[in-house]
Amino acid sequence: MSERLQPGDQAPAFTLPDADGNEVSLSDHKGRKVIVYFYPAALTPGCTKQACDFTDNLELLTGAGYDVIGISPDKPEKLAKFRDTESLKVTLLADPDKKVLDAYGAFGEKKNYGKTYLGVIRSTIVVDEAGKVERALYNVRATGHVAKIIKDLGI
């Protein structure tokens, strides 16, 4: 289990396949701010709500200079189904070996109904134009989170 990122840290570089199998790197977004959010599983209620919220606010976010990338341990085929089923516009990336999730501190111990297990910690990292962590939010809620980010970023 890796350390959680802190504001000012260099955001770990990554290259992952998107829903169509194309490689996407964090460095592709150099010069723009990037909201990287980590979610447990495509096509589940909370993750669908969060992805739809980001999609509904994507124009507002991109207009303010932010790109949005969602990362989960799902395979590209499942991400494509998720995107198509929910008409998602955000970039969805596959991290089945959880290397990026781990590098960002978004994979680790979770508690649910008194049981402790390893899983994806719903997290959002805001990366600035220079590739540094501007904000690192962990254990966020799926519902209302996007509105909170927009408010906190002053958009």
Short mmCIF file of all heavy atoms in Angstrom, two decimals, residues 55-91:
data_model
loop_
_atom_site.label_atom_id
_atom_site.label_comp_id
_atom_site.label_asym_id
_atom_site.label_seq_id
_atom_site.Cartn_x
_atom_site.Cartn_y
_atom_site.Cartn_z
N THR A 55 -19.39 13.88 -16.48
CA THR A 55 -19.79 14.09 -17.87
C THR A 55 -20.70 15.31 -17.98
O THR A 55 -20.53 16.15 -18.86
CB THR A 55 -20.48 12.83 -18.43
OG1 THR A 55 -19.49 11.80 -18.54
CG2 THR A 55 -21.08 13.08 -19.81
N ASP A 56 -21.68 15.42 -17.06
CA ASP A 56 -22.62 16.54 -17.08
C ASP A 56 -21.92 17.89 -16.88
O ASP A 56 -22.41 18.92 -17.34
CB ASP A 56 -23.69 16.38 -15.99
CG ASP A 56 -24.63 15.21 -16.28
OD1 ASP A 56 -24.63 14.69 -17.41
OD2 ASP A 56 -25.35 14.79 -15.34
N ASN A 57 -20.78 17.88 -16.19
CA ASN A 57 -20.05 19.12 -15.90
C ASN A 57 -18.77 19.26 -16.72
O ASN A 57 -17.97 20.17 -16.46
CB ASN A 57 -19.72 19.18 -14.40
CG ASN A 57 -20.96 19.41 -13.57
OD1 ASN A 57 -21.50 20.51 -13.55
ND2 ASN A 57 -21.44 18.38 -12.90
N LEU A 58 -18.58 18.38 -17.70
CA LEU A 58 -17.33 18.36 -18.45
C LEU A 58 -17.07 19.67 -19.20
O LEU A 58 -15.95 20.17 -19.19
CB LEU A 58 -17.30 17.17 -19.41
CG LEU A 58 -15.95 16.84 -20.01
CD1 LEU A 58 -14.92 16.54 -18.92
CD2 LEU A 58 -16.05 15.65 -20.96
N GLU A 59 -18.11 20.23 -19.83
CA GLU A 59 -17.93 21.49 -20.56
C GLU A 59 -17.46 22.60 -19.63
O GLU A 59 -16.55 23.35 -19.96
CB GLU A 59 -19.26 21.90 -21.22
CG GLU A 59 -19.18 21.84 -22.72
CD GLU A 59 -20.52 22.20 -23.35
OE1 GLU A 59 -20.93 23.38 -23.26
OE2 GLU A 59 -21.13 21.30 -23.94
N LEU A 60 -18.09 22.69 -18.47
CA LEU A 60 -17.72 23.69 -17.47
C LEU A 60 -16.27 23.49 -17.04
O LEU A 60 -15.49 24.44 -17.00
CB LEU A 60 -18.65 23.57 -16.25
CG LEU A 60 -18.38 24.50 -15.08
CD1 LEU A 60 -18.70 25.94 -15.47
CD2 LEU A 60 -19.18 24.09 -13.87
N LEU A 61 -15.88 22.23 -16.76
CA LEU A 61 -14.52 21.94 -16.31
C LEU A 61 -13.49 22.19 -17.40
O LEU A 61 -12.46 22.82 -17.15
CB LEU A 61 -14.44 20.49 -15.81
CG LEU A 61 -15.19 20.21 -14.50
CD1 LEU A 61 -15.38 18.72 -14.28
CD2 LEU A 61 -14.46 20.84 -13.33
N THR A 62 -13.75 21.72 -18.62
CA THR A 62 -12.78 21.93 -19.69
C THR A 62 -12.68 23.41 -20.04
O THR A 62 -11.59 23.91 -20.33
CB THR A 62 -13.09 21.10 -20.97
OG1 THR A 62 -14.41 21.37 -21.38
CG2 THR A 62 -12.91 19.62 -20.73
N GLY A 63 -13.80 24.12 -19.95
CA GLY A 63 -13.79 25.56 -20.20
C GLY A 63 -12.94 26.30 -19.19
O GLY A 63 -12.37 27.36 -19.48
N ALA A 64 -12.82 25.74 -17.98
CA ALA A 64 -12.00 26.35 -16.92
C ALA A 64 -10.56 25.82 -16.97
O ALA A 64 -9.76 26.11 -16.08
CB ALA A 64 -12.62 26.06 -15.56
N GLY A 65 -10.25 25.01 -18.00
CA GLY A 65 -8.87 24.53 -18.17
C GLY A 65 -8.55 23.18 -17.57
O GLY A 65 -7.38 22.82 -17.43
N TYR A 66 -9.58 22.42 -17.21
CA TYR A 66 -9.37 21.10 -16.60
C TYR A 66 -9.77 19.97 -17.55
O TYR A 66 -10.85 20.02 -18.14
CB TYR A 66 -10.21 20.95 -15.32
CG TYR A 66 -9.77 21.83 -14.19
CD1 TYR A 66 -10.27 23.13 -14.07
CD2 TYR A 66 -8.85 21.39 -13.26
CE1 TYR A 66 -9.85 23.96 -13.03
CE2 TYR A 66 -8.43 22.21 -12.21
CZ TYR A 66 -8.94 23.48 -12.11
OH TYR A 66 -8.52 24.30 -11.09
N ASP A 67 -8.90 18.97 -17.69
CA ASP A 67 -9.26 17.73 -18.35
C ASP A 67 -9.65 16.75 -17.25
O ASP A 67 -9.18 16.87 -16.12
CB ASP A 67 -8.08 17.17 -19.15
CG ASP A 67 -7.71 18.08 -20.32
OD1 ASP A 67 -8.58 18.84 -20.80
OD2 ASP A 67 -6.55 18.04 -20.76
N VAL A 68 -10.50 15.78 -17.58
CA VAL A 68 -10.96 14.81 -16.58
C VAL A 68 -10.63 13.40 -17.05
O VAL A 68 -10.96 13.02 -18.17
CB VAL A 68 -12.48 14.94 -16.32
CG1 VAL A 68 -12.94 13.91 -15.30
CG2 VAL A 68 -12.84 16.34 -15.86
N ILE A 69 -9.98 12.63 -16.17
CA ILE A 69 -9.63 11.25 -16.46
C ILE A 69 -10.11 10.38 -15.31
O ILE A 69 -9.80 10.64 -14.14
CB ILE A 69 -8.10 11.07 -16.60
CG1 ILE A 69 -7.57 11.90 -17.77
CG2 ILE A 69 -7.73 9.60 -16.76
CD1 ILE A 69 -6.04 11.92 -17.86
N GLY A 70 -10.88 9.34 -15.62
CA GLY A 70 -11.33 8.38 -14.63
C GLY A 70 -10.53 7.09 -14.78
O GLY A 70 -10.35 6.60 -15.89
N ILE A 71 -10.04 6.55 -13.67
CA ILE A 71 -9.23 5.32 -13.70
C ILE A 71 -9.83 4.28 -12.76
O ILE A 71 -10.16 4.59 -11.61
CB ILE A 71 -7.77 5.61 -13.30
CG1 ILE A 71 -7.13 6.61 -14.27
CG2 ILE A 71 -6.95 4.31 -13.23
CD1 ILE A 71 -5.71 7.03 -13.91
N SER A 72 -9.98 3.06 -13.28
CA SER A 72 -10.46 1.94 -12.46
C SER A 72 -9.70 0.68 -12.86
O SER A 72 -9.02 0.66 -13.89
CB SER A 72 -11.97 1.72 -12.69
OG SER A 72 -12.18 1.11 -13.95
N PRO A 73 -9.82 -0.38 -12.05
CA PRO A 73 -9.12 -1.62 -12.41
C PRO A 73 -9.82 -2.42 -13.51
O PRO A 73 -9.38 -3.51 -13.85
CB PRO A 73 -9.09 -2.41 -11.09
CG PRO A 73 -10.04 -1.77 -10.17
CD PRO A 73 -10.38 -0.41 -10.71
N ASP A 74 -10.89 -1.88 -14.08
CA ASP A 74 -11.62 -2.59 -15.14
C ASP A 74 -10.79 -2.71 -16.41
O ASP A 74 -9.90 -1.90 -16.67
CB ASP A 74 -12.92 -1.84 -15.48
CG ASP A 74 -13.86 -1.77 -14.29
OD1 ASP A 74 -14.19 -2.82 -13.73
OD2 ASP A 74 -14.26 -0.64 -13.92
N LYS A 75 -11.12 -3.70 -17.24
CA LYS A 75 -10.47 -3.88 -18.53
C LYS A 75 -11.10 -2.92 -19.55
O LYS A 75 -12.23 -2.47 -19.37
CB LYS A 75 -10.63 -5.32 -19.00
CG LYS A 75 -9.89 -6.31 -18.11
CD LYS A 75 -9.72 -7.63 -18.80
CE LYS A 75 -8.85 -8.63 -18.10
NZ LYS A 75 -8.19 -8.28 -16.89
N PRO A 76 -10.36 -2.55 -20.63
CA PRO A 76 -10.89 -1.61 -21.63
C PRO A 76 -12.27 -1.98 -22.18
O PRO A 76 -13.12 -1.11 -22.37
CB PRO A 76 -9.83 -1.63 -22.74
CG PRO A 76 -8.56 -1.96 -22.03
CD PRO A 76 -8.97 -2.93 -20.94
N GLU A 77 -12.52 -3.28 -22.37
CA GLU A 77 -13.83 -3.71 -22.91
C GLU A 77 -14.98 -3.30 -21.99
O GLU A 77 -16.03 -2.86 -22.45
CB GLU A 77 -13.87 -5.24 -23.12
CG GLU A 77 -12.78 -5.80 -24.00
CD GLU A 77 -11.41 -5.92 -23.31
OE1 GLU A 77 -11.33 -6.21 -22.10
OE2 GLU A 77 -10.39 -5.69 -24.00
N LYS A 78 -14.77 -3.44 -20.69
CA LYS A 78 -15.82 -3.06 -19.73
C LYS A 78 -15.98 -1.54 -19.72
O LYS A 78 -17.10 -1.03 -19.61
CB LYS A 78 -15.50 -3.59 -18.33
CG LYS A 78 -16.65 -3.39 -17.36
CD LYS A 78 -16.42 -4.08 -16.03
CE LYS A 78 -17.58 -3.84 -15.07
NZ LYS A 78 -17.27 -4.30 -13.72
N LEU A 79 -14.87 -0.82 -19.85
CA LEU A 79 -14.94 0.65 -19.88
C LEU A 79 -15.72 1.12 -21.12
O LEU A 79 -16.50 2.07 -21.04
CB LEU A 79 -13.54 1.26 -19.88
CG LEU A 79 -12.70 1.00 -18.62
CD1 LEU A 79 -11.35 1.66 -18.76
CD2 LEU A 79 -13.42 1.47 -17.37
N ALA A 80 -15.52 0.45 -22.25
CA ALA A 80 -16.24 0.81 -23.48
C ALA A 80 -17.74 0.60 -23.28
O ALA A 80 -18.56 1.44 -23.67
CB ALA A 80 -15.73 -0.02 -24.65
N LYS A 81 -18.11 -0.51 -22.64
CA LYS A 81 -19.52 -0.77 -22.37
C LYS A 81 -20.09 0.28 -21.43
O LYS A 81 -21.20 0.79 -21.63
CB LYS A 81 -19.67 -2.18 -21.77
CG LYS A 81 -21.10 -2.57 -21.56
CD LYS A 81 -21.25 -3.99 -21.05
CE LYS A 81 -22.74 -4.30 -20.93
NZ LYS A 81 -23.02 -5.42 -20.08
N PHE A 82 -19.32 0.64 -20.39
CA PHE A 82 -19.71 1.67 -19.42
C PHE A 82 -19.93 2.99 -20.14
O PHE A 82 -20.98 3.63 -19.98
CB PHE A 82 -18.58 1.78 -18.38
CG PHE A 82 -18.85 2.68 -17.18
CD1 PHE A 82 -20.11 2.83 -16.63
CD2 PHE A 82 -17.80 3.35 -16.58
CE1 PHE A 82 -20.32 3.64 -15.51
CE2 PHE A 82 -17.99 4.15 -15.46
CZ PHE A 82 -19.26 4.29 -14.93
N ARG A 83 -18.96 3.39 -20.96
CA ARG A 83 -19.05 4.65 -21.71
C ARG A 83 -20.28 4.66 -22.61
O ARG A 83 -21.05 5.62 -22.62
CB ARG A 83 -17.78 4.83 -22.54
CG ARG A 83 -17.79 6.09 -23.40
CD ARG A 83 -16.71 6.07 -24.45
NE ARG A 83 -16.90 4.95 -25.35
CZ ARG A 83 -15.94 4.38 -26.08
NH1 ARG A 83 -14.71 4.82 -26.00
NH2 ARG A 83 -16.21 3.37 -26.86
N ASP A 84 -20.46 3.59 -23.35
CA ASP A 84 -21.57 3.54 -24.32
C ASP A 84 -22.93 3.44 -23.63
O ASP A 84 -23.87 4.11 -24.04
CB ASP A 84 -21.36 2.37 -25.29
CG ASP A 84 -20.07 2.53 -26.10
OD1 ASP A 84 -19.52 3.66 -26.16
OD2 ASP A 84 -19.61 1.53 -26.68
N THR A 85 -23.02 2.65 -22.58
CA THR A 85 -24.28 2.47 -21.85
C THR A 85 -24.73 3.78 -21.21
O THR A 85 -25.91 4.12 -21.23
CB THR A 85 -24.13 1.39 -20.75
OG1 THR A 85 -23.71 0.18 -21.37
CG2 THR A 85 -25.42 1.15 -20.01
N GLU A 86 -23.78 4.52 -20.64
CA GLU A 86 -24.11 5.74 -19.89
C GLU A 86 -23.85 7.04 -20.67
O GLU A 86 -23.99 8.12 -20.11
CB GLU A 86 -23.32 5.77 -18.57
CG GLU A 86 -23.57 4.58 -17.66
CD GLU A 86 -25.02 4.48 -17.18
OE1 GLU A 86 -25.73 5.51 -17.16
OE2 GLU A 86 -25.43 3.35 -16.84
N SER A 87 -23.44 6.93 -21.95
CA SER A 87 -23.11 8.10 -22.78
C SER A 87 -22.09 9.01 -22.10
O SER A 87 -22.25 10.23 -22.04
CB SER A 87 -24.37 8.91 -23.12
OG SER A 87 -25.31 8.09 -23.75
N LEU A 88 -21.03 8.40 -21.57
CA LEU A 88 -20.01 9.15 -20.85
C LEU A 88 -19.07 9.86 -21.83
O LEU A 88 -18.74 9.33 -22.88
CB LEU A 88 -19.20 8.21 -19.95
CG LEU A 88 -20.03 7.47 -18.89
CD1 LEU A 88 -19.17 6.45 -18.16
CD2 LEU A 88 -20.67 8.44 -17.92
N LYS A 89 -18.64 11.05 -21.43
CA LYS A 89 -17.74 11.85 -22.27
C LYS A 89 -16.34 11.97 -21.65
O LYS A 89 -15.42 12.44 -22.29
CB LYS A 89 -18.31 13.25 -22.47
CG LYS A 89 -19.69 13.29 -23.06
CD LYS A 89 -19.65 13.54 -24.54
CE LYS A 89 -21.01 13.71 -25.18
NZ LYS A 89 -21.81 12.50 -25.22
N VAL A 90 -16.19 11.57 -20.39
CA VAL A 90 -14.88 11.65 -19.74
C VAL A 90 -13.98 10.53 -20.26
O VAL A 90 -14.46 9.50 -20.70
CB VAL A 90 -14.98 11.58 -18.19
CG1 VAL A 90 -15.73 12.77 -17.64
CG2 VAL A 90 -15.62 10.28 -17.74
N THR A 91 -12.68 10.75 -20.22
CA THR A 91 -11.72 9.73 -20.62
C THR A 91 -11.64 8.69 -19.50
O THR A 91 -11.38 9.03 -18.35
CB THR A 91 -10.33 10.37 -20.83
OG1 THR A 91 -10.45 11.37 -21.84
CG2 THR A 91 -9.30 9.34 -21.24
#
